[in-house]
Amino acid sequence: MANGETMEQGNEEAGVGEPLISVRDLVVGFGDRVILDHLSLDILRGEILGFVGTSGGGKSVLTRTILGLVPKRSGTVEVFGQDLDTLNEAQRSAVERRWGVLFQQGALFSSLTVKQNIQFPLRENLKLSQKLMDDIAYAKIEMVGLKCEAGEKLPSELSGGMIKRASLARALALDPEILFLDEPTSGLDPIGAGDFDELIRTLQQTLGLTVFMVTHDLDSLHTVCDRIAALADGKVIAQGPIETMMASTHPWLRAYFHGARARAVRSER
Amino acid sequence: MASASLLDISRSGDEVTAVGHGFWTSEHADVLEEAVASAARAHPRPSAARIDLADVERMDTFGALLLERLRRAWTQDGVEPRVVGLKRRYGVLLQEMSRTGHDPQPPARHREAMVERLGHNVVAIGRDSTALLNFVGATVAASLRMATRPRTFRFTSMVNQIDRVGLRAVPIIILITFLIGCILAQQGIFHFRRFGAEIYVVDMVGVLVLRELGVLIVSIMIAGRSGSAYTAELGSMRMREEVDALRVMGFDPVEILVIPRIYALIIALPLLTFIGSMSALIGGGLLAWLYGGIAPGVFMDRLKDAISIDHFLVGIIKAPFMAGVIGIVACMEGLRVGGSAESLGYHTTASVVKAIFLVIVMDGVFAMFFASIDM
Ligand SMILES: Nc1ncnc2c1ncn2[C@@H]1O[C@H](COP(=O)(O)OP(=O)(O)O)[C@@H](O)[C@H]1O
Ligand SMILES: [Mg+2]
């Protein structure tokens, strides 16, 4: 159907590899506990970055800090080249329109149907006809692999996997440039998790997304992530493709990538 | 940006050419939708069509969806348009869009007629009443079960609840009843003064407060303050499946969550009623002194003559029953909360409204009862 520019495939927007989000010297703590200790991390345009770390190590806290939901003690967070602290209301909400977030628990609005959930950001941000909003909502519902009928359902009527998909559809409502996923496949069965990984990959290629994915799933790390960053003791202790992780000598990384579960995953492939 | 011409249509012979420009993204989706609609309308049934997108700089789902819409409009008219110049990276996106939704028909929502709604409401009231009776039964059964093995009674939990619904309510109860006492006395004095019968204001305040107002005001306050809290707590526990968790661990949610809360109210409400009544009498006495010139000593003497222990008992006897009703309605509504935030709000409102209604109905029944036994 399409011809035109040559040699392009998938996710190449102008300037692949430039940092879309860069976190510098970030310190976050609660009370006298420091959770993130001078952490620095870049998320590059067009990549799927997997973020691993111990449970309770501060992965969600980092995500929430980048999103501006948790106050930071020091350090800077630059999103699309702008420091969020220096922006005014209007500029901030312009930035917020350009990211989508899938929360760990889904965070669908419980009193709205799936379709209304997806249309909520559309209605608030754009002036569209009801027909177009319906079409968009159903297109997103189908894109994330749900049936159209799911659009009329309330969140309490959905299964765990459907909730994840529906919240993904809502996160994608405004065609964001970057997608934050907090443990998207936890709580799904391995097949469901595999499908979800596949879906993320497809969407990333289709929409040219950048994806920041907090995950524990060794399968996801192997199959979909372009790059992995590992968090320990409040810092990023290693980052790079999966091979770098496997080669690392850090004790936690060795245990993580060479433990019994990891060996099982590897022998399968 | 050039939102003026996102889409140009030209016609040469029988071929229609649509040329896209600029940003086919969500920001311009409203304009583009118009353009697509008018293009399809203005040039129906072309014998050949071409959509040239070489000049489209960026496209997202919105643009792709609208492009697909134009393509389908012409395809329906019997000519498959050729799409040319689309940047390769958008190919997948367009394919994705062409696979989705051929105008899905959302199921029509059923609209209720007036009469139908009336019928539903009547049935709902009937169901509510049986549910209430059921719940009373479950509570009594649980209480009896616990009476046979008192060790299972959650004493700590009840004390904690008494602290929350009783002790912490004291300041606001004192304040409100004090003010009510003042208002009552002021109105009494103002109107009785015309007959030179100011002194009877003591009778009025004493009897009204002890028999009726003390317990009513306190019950209504507690229904709003603690009943709503009970419903919201149990409701959010239900939403997060905590109640189900208790059940599968072999616990009875009624025993663990409901009983301590209801008994806490049954203990706290008579005490609050006592405190409230005293505070109202003090308020009335103070105002009678300042506004009516009835000295505290005179007020006390008159009060002694005007009221008997019966008046006091009538008020206090009612209190535990009011507490039971408030607690049962609140907990029942809490456990009926469904999955959504809206349902939580609905049941919290219902809890307060029903509790206050039942408190007033019960008060009426008690009034008839006490009148017939001459108390
Ligand atoms: N709002 C908060 N107040 C206090 N402590 C918090 C808060 N949010 C998270 N924490 C603590 O921060 C640590 C990191 O949490 P989190 O980022 O959720 O872990 P994970 O890496 O598993 O996502 C945990 O020890 C948690 O107890
Ligand atoms: Mg987490």
Side-chain angles (χ1 to χ4, degrees):
Chain A
M1 184 188 304
N3 50 34
E5 277 182 30
T6 47
M7 76 144 273
E8 270 196 322
Q9 43 156 281
N11 51 10
E12 294 89 277
E13 288 271 303
V16 186
E18 90 199 59
L20 211 53
I21 290 189
S22 76
V23 177
R24 288 286 169 270
D25 269 334
L26 183 69
V27 182
V28 177
F30 300 101
D32 50 8
R33 277 186 59 207
V34 175
I35 309 283
L36 303 178
D37 182 15
H38 295 282
L39 177 144
S40 297
L41 179 68
D42 282 334
I43 305 174
L44 309 181
R45 185 186 286 279
E47 73 174 346
I48 299 185
L49 177 64
F51 195 60
V52 297
T54 44
S55 208
K59 302 182 297 299
S60 298
V61 168
L62 173 64
T63 317
R64 295 170 63 83
T65 312
I66 295 174
L67 296 171
L69 298 171
V70 171
K72 53 182 185 284
R73 295 221 173 123
S74 67
T76 56
V77 175
E78 276 188 14
V79 181
F80 308 121
Q82 295 160 298
D83 186 342
L84 287 187
D85 296 337
T86 64
L87 301 184
N88 62 27
E89 282 285 306
Q91 290 166 322
R92 248 199 93 89
S93 69
V95 167
E96 282 162 356
R97 274 188 51 173
R98 294 167 66 188
W99 67 38
V101 185
L102 172 59
F103 285 94
Q104 208 166 348
Q105 315 291 342
L108 289 171
F109 304 124
S110 57
S111 49
L112 303 181
T113 63
V114 170
K115 188 175 92 178
Q116 289 166 336
N117 262 287
I118 298 170
Q119 288 177 347
F120 184 80
L122 301 181
R123 206 179 294 273
E124 296 303 311
N125 283 300
L126 307 168
K127 319 183 293 287
L128 300 180
S129 67
Q130 187 60 44
K131 167 104 174 68
L132 184 55
M133 285 209 293
D134 283 349
D135 280 3
I136 288 282
Y138 284 116
K140 305 271 167 175
I141 288 172
E142 287 186 41
M143 267 171 120
V144 299
L146 290 172
K147 299 237 169 60
C148 276
E149 295 90 82
E152 303 300 322
K153 291 211 167 101
L154 288 169
S156 54
E157 300 164 348
L158 301 179
S159 74
M162 289 164 87
I163 287 183
K164 295 261 155 131
R165 285 170 193 268
S167 3
L168 181 62
R170 186 183 68 181
L172 291 173
L174 285 168
D175 274 33
E177 288 165 50
I178 179 161
L179 193 59
F180 292 88
L181 309 172
D182 198 346
E183 305 202 12
T185 53
S186 69
L188 300 185
D189 63 283
I191 299 174
D195 285 352
F196 206 89
D197 285 341
E198 196 64 30
L199 173 65
I200 299 290
R201 176 53 95 187
T202 314
L203 288 173
Q204 188 254 356
Q205 281 166 355
T206 314
L207 304 172
L209 287 172
T210 305
V211 179
F212 176 78
M213 175 157 74
V214 174
T215 186
H216 279 304
D217 193 331
L218 286 163
D219 270 322
S220 314
L221 293 173
H222 277 281
T223 51
V224 297
C225 294
D226 299 315
R227 220 160 56 90
I228 296 167
L231 175 77
D233 309 321
K235 289 189 172 66
V236 173
I237 49 166
Q239 47 183 316
I242 183 90
E243 295 78 27
T244 316
M245 295 291 128
M246 309 284 295
S248 166
T249 53
H250 190 281
W252 186 81
L253 281 177
R254 283 196 64 78
Y256 194 91
F257 286 101
H258 296 273
R261 295 246 307 126
R263 275 198 302 277
V265 167
R266 242 172 316 139
S267 64
E268 272 169 31
R269 58 190 69 245
Chain B
M1 264 177 261
S3 57
S5 61
L6 286 164
L7 186 64
D8 284 334
I9 308 281
S10 59
R11 185 163 197 149
S12 63
D14 270 341
E15 192 188 55
V16 177
T17 307
V19 183
H21 306 281
F23 290 78
W24 282 32
T25 52
S26 55
E27 292 88 344
H28 308 293
D30 49 342
V31 183
L32 188 60
E33 187 188 22
E34 271 306 304
V36 164
S38 67
R41 237 182 296 121
H43 302 277
R45 313 194 170 286
S47 60
R50 206 163 66 95
I51 304 175
D52 183 349
L53 299 168
D55 196 27
V56 171
E57 284 176 55
R58 193 180 299 159
M59 185 187 274
D60 64 7
T61 333
F62 294 76
L65 187 97
L66 289 167
L67 170 60
E68 178 63 19
R69 212 188 252 185
L70 181 62
R71 215 175 59 79
R72 274 186 205 169
W74 277 335
T75 308
Q76 258 181 5
D77 285 350
V79 47
E80 175 82 24
R82 279 181 304 134
V83 179
V84 296
L86 182 70
K87 293 191 175 49
R88 168 92 62 92
R89 63 169 177 266
Y90 299 128
V92 199
L93 182 59
L94 193 58
Q95 262 174 29
E96 191 75 29
M97 283 299 133
S98 63
R99 269 195 272 126
T100 64
H102 289 259
D103 282 333
Q105 287 301 315
R109 292 242 157 176
H110 177 65
R111 273 177 184 269
E112 288 183 346
M114 261 275 276
V115 182
E116 194 183 349
R117 199 161 343 139
L118 188 73
H120 278 307
N121 282 346
V122 172
V123 173
I125 290 174
R127 289 229 180 92
D128 263 11
S129 319
T130 37
L132 187 65
L133 284 180
N134 267 336
F135 199 77
V136 172
T139 317
V140 172
S143 307
L144 292 180
R145 247 180 290 139
M146 292 178 116
T148 61
R149 42 189 170 90
R151 276 175 175 282
T152 57
F153 186 72
R154 316 231 147 216
F155 193 73
T156 336
S157 166
M158 189 184 74
V159 171
N160 179 26
Q161 294 295 340
I162 290 180
D163 174 51
R164 290 178 48 205
V165 303
L167 216 52
R168 283 164 204 239
V170 167
I172 187 70
I173 293 281
I174 288 182
L175 178 66
I176 298 280
T177 48
F178 180 85
L179 292 177
I180 299 268
C182 292
I183 294 167
L184 210 58
Q186 189 271 336
Q187 287 294 310
I189 290 167
F190 183 77
H191 290 284
F192 288 170
R193 186 174 274 166
R194 280 190 268 168
F195 317 111
E198 286 116 305
I199 194 66
Y200 284 106
V201 88
V202 183
D203 299 51
M204 184 186 83
V205 170
V207 172
L208 258 183
V209 163
L210 289 181
R211 286 187 78 106
E212 298 293 337
L213 281 186
V215 63
L216 265 185
I217 300 283
V218 170
S219 300
I220 289 171
M221 291 273 309
I222 291 300
R225 185 184 179 277
S226 308
S228 59
Y230 281 4
T231 309
E233 283 163 18
L234 296 188
S236 67
M237 288 183 77
R238 257 206 55 104
M239 282 165 70
R240 284 183 284 143
E241 298 182 324
E242 292 172 45
V243 176
D244 299 336
L246 277 176
R247 199 163 275 149
V248 296
M249 285 188 250
F251 297 109
D252 179 5
V254 174
E255 278 183 22
I256 292 193
L257 302 173
V258 175
I259 296 284
R261 285 185 162 80
I262 291 181
Y263 281 93
L265 267 188
I266 288 180
I267 292 173
L269 203 72
L271 297 175
L272 288 175
T273 301
F274 176 75
I275 293 171
S277 303
M278 291 309 118
S279 162
L281 289 182
I282 292 170
L286 194 70
L287 207 107
W289 185 26
L290 298 178
Y291 179 68
I294 303 171
V298 181
F299 188 89
M300 290 304 287
D301 282 343
R302 181 74 202 169
L303 198 60
K304 239 180 263 171
D305 293 340
I307 60 176
S308 66
I309 189 74
D310 277 359
H311 294 305
F312 176 72
L313 286 181
V314 163
I316 289 294
I317 287 171
K318 286 192 277 193
F321 291 93
M322 303 297 192
V325 165
I326 296 170
I328 285 174
V329 168
C331 293
M332 181 185 80
E333 291 294 335
L335 292 179
R336 291 166 87 187
V337 167
S340 72
E342 201 177 3
S343 152
L344 181 62
Y346 172 82
H347 284 286
T348 308
T349 310
S351 150
V352 175
V353 172
K354 282 182 194 168
I356 291 178
F357 172 74
L358 287 176
V359 158
I360 289 173
V361 169
M362 286 239 305
D363 194 61
V365 174
F366 270 116
M368 291 190 279
F369 172 71
F370 287 127
S372 64
I373 64 167
D374 264 343
M375 200 165 160

